[in-house]
Amino acid sequence: MSDFHRVRRLPPYVFEQVNKLKAKARAAGADIIDLGMGNPDLPAPKHVIDKLVETVGKPRTDRYSASKGIAGLRRAQAGYYGRRFGVKLDPETQVVVTLGSKEGFANMAQAITAPGDVVLVPNPSYPIHAFGFLMAGGVIRSVPIEPTPDFFVALERAIIHSIPKPIAVVVCYPSNPTAMVASLDFYKDLVLFARKHEIFVLSDVAYAEVYFEDEPPPSILQAPGAFDVAVEFSSLSKTFSMAGWRMGFAVGNERLLAALARVKSYLDYGAYTPIQVAAAAALNGPEDCIREMRATYKRRRDVMIESFAAAGWAIDKPSASMFAWTPVPERFRHLGSLEFSKLLIEKADVAVAPGIGFGEHGDDFVRLALVENEQRIRQAARGVRRFFDTADDTLHNVVKLKQPA
C-alpha cells in the first residue's frame, strides 16, 4: 500500500486507532458509550421514509439516475435556500446533488486542483477539507479556525508568501470540530477578500440547522458578490438524521459547479432515484422534525455540560453543531489527545474523537458528539468521574500525570 502515490500522501487515520480499541473493548464485554463519531442516532422523519417506500419499485426508478441529481430534488434545494437564507438559486446551473457533502468536497477538489496548487484550510478542521485536496495533488496551508480579524491577517500572509498563489480557501461554520459560528459580516468580509485576490471560497454548512440560540447561522451566499467566488456544501445527514442515505448538495458559483458536475458525470450516476425523491420530500415537507432534532440535541448538550462538570471536567458550551470541543484536562494534556482518548476507552468506557485527528492544532482538545441519549450521557460522566478519581492510583505505573499546582 505504501508504494501507491496518493496513499503515501495520507497519514495514518487517527480515528481508526480509537475505533480498533473501542471494538476490542466491546468484544471483551465492555459497554462503551460512543461519543466519538458524529453519527446521528435519531430516526429519519416518517414522511420521508413513507415517500421512499412509496417510490421504491415504481417503473424506471431502478434505472440509472442523473449524476447532478434529479430535477425535482434540485428544485427542492433551491426552494429551501430561498426560505431559509433568502437566497435565489437556479436549479439548472447553481445546484448539484452530491453523495453527501464529503463526496462533494472530494470531487470538487478533483475538479479544480492542479498538482502543486495551494489551498488554505483551517486547522483544526474536518479531515476531508484538507485531504480531499491532498489526494488531488494539492498543497495545504493552514489558517486559523476562528472567524475573527486574525483569520484575515493569516489569509493575507498566505496570499503574499505562498507560491503559487492559493486558489481557494475552505471555511466551515458551524464548525466541525470546534462548533464555532460565523456571522454574516464575517462572510461579507471573506467574499470581499476572495474577490480582491481572485480566489474561490468553499463553504461547508452541514450543521446550519443544528443551532441552539435564537439567531440561525447564515449562508455565505447571503453576502453580496458571493456567487462570483463561492460554492457552499450542505447535507441532509444532520438536518433530517439521514446520514446513511448519503444526500448532499453543492450550490453557488456556476463555473465551479459545472466543473464538479463534469467530474461527477465520469464517476457516478447519482444516488438511487427513490432516495432522491424522498430527499425532496424532506426539503419540501414540514419542519417540525427539524425543530424536534434541534431540541433533542440542546437537551443532550445541557445534560453533558452539567454532568461532566460534576465529574470534574468543565466542557465549553457549544452554541451550534452536534459537538462539544473541549480541552483535554490539564493533568492529562501532556499525553496528547490520542493517548487521552485511548485511556477514556480503557478506564471510563467512553469513546471520544481525539483532536489530533482534525489537525496538529487540535491536539490539546477532544470532540464529544451528542449522539447518545441523556441517560447514556450521564452514564458516561459517571465513568469519567470514576476514572478521574482513581487515575493517580491506576496509572502511576503507566503514565506520569501532571499534578495540580
Side-chain angles (χ1 to χ4, degrees), residues 59-334:
R60 302 179 68 87
T61 61
D62 291 330
R63 305 180 73 178
Y64 291 129
S65 188
S67 62
K68 67 180 292 186
I70 62 175
L73 180 52
R74 285 184 278 115
R75 286 195 298 269
Q77 176 69 350
Y80 163 75
Y81 257 74
R83 296 189 306 274
R84 172 67 166 80
F85 301 114
V87 170
K88 185 177 180 180
L89 296 172
D90 182 342
E92 289 302 312
T93 60
Q94 295 175 325
V95 180
V96 171
V97 179
T98 63
L99 304 177
S101 57
K102 189 173 184 179
E103 175 268 322
F105 249 97
N107 279 329
M108 180 63 80
Q110 293 292 330
I112 70 174
T113 310
D117 276 348
V118 177
V119 178
L120 308 178
V121 180
N123 190 335
S125 70
Y126 186 53
I128 196 63
H129 294 159
F131 292 113
F133 290 98
L134 285 175
M135 286 188 282
V139 176
I140 299 304
R141 180 166 182 145
S142 294
V143 294
I145 184 67
E146 297 85 356
T148 65
D150 288 343
F151 181 86
F152 293 100
V153 173
L155 288 192
E156 193 77 47
R157 187 183 306 119
I159 293 288
I160 294 170
H161 295 291
S162 296
I163 300 175
K165 189 187 83 171
I167 64 166
V169 57
V170 175
V171 291
C172 174
Y173 302 107
S175 167
N176 179 9
T178 69
M180 293 175 181
V181 179
S183 67
L184 183 54
D185 285 340
F186 171 83
Y187 284 138
K188 290 177 179 177
D189 290 341
L190 182 56
V191 168
L192 288 173
F193 182 94
R195 295 178 71 188
K196 173 185 175 182
H197 293 285
E198 298 183 323
I199 65 173
F200 293 116
V201 182
L202 304 179
S203 170
D204 185 344
V205 292
Y207 299 90
E209 294 295 355
V210 190
Y211 60 90
F212 311 121
E213 310 300 334
D214 292 335
E215 182 108 11
S219 160
I220 193 173
L221 297 182
Q222 293 175 254
F227 282 88
D228 294 339
V229 293
V231 162
E232 192 155 72
F233 296 85
S234 61
S235 166
L236 302 190
S237 295
K238 279 69 183 185
T239 303
F240 295 99
S241 303
M242 294 167 61
W245 299 50
R246 308 315 302 135
M247 273 283 97
F249 303 90
V251 302
N253 180 271
E254 293 184 12
R255 181 184 169 205
L256 289 175
L257 292 178
L260 173 62
R262 185 168 181 178
V263 166
K264 280 176 62 63
S265 71
Y266 282 91
L267 296 178
D268 70 70
Y269 287 106
Y272 182 40
T273 297
I275 290 180
Q276 295 195 56
V277 172
L283 291 168
N284 292 331
E287 296 187 356
D288 294 358
C289 55
I290 301 177
R291 290 188 285 271
E292 290 169 8
M293 169 275 296
R294 206 178 286 139
T296 296
Y297 286 134
K298 184 175 182 179
R299 287 195 302 271
R300 292 177 179 184
R301 178 203 66 172
D302 293 344
V303 167
M304 178 178 284
I305 299 301
E306 176 190 0
S307 59
F308 275 64
W313 191 1
I315 292 177
D316 295 334
K317 192 174 189 177
S319 63
S321 88
M322 57 189 293
F323 304 116
W325 178 251
T326 192
V328 175
E330 179 65 30
R331 62 175 168 154
F332 300 100
R333 199 166 299 166
H334 64 289

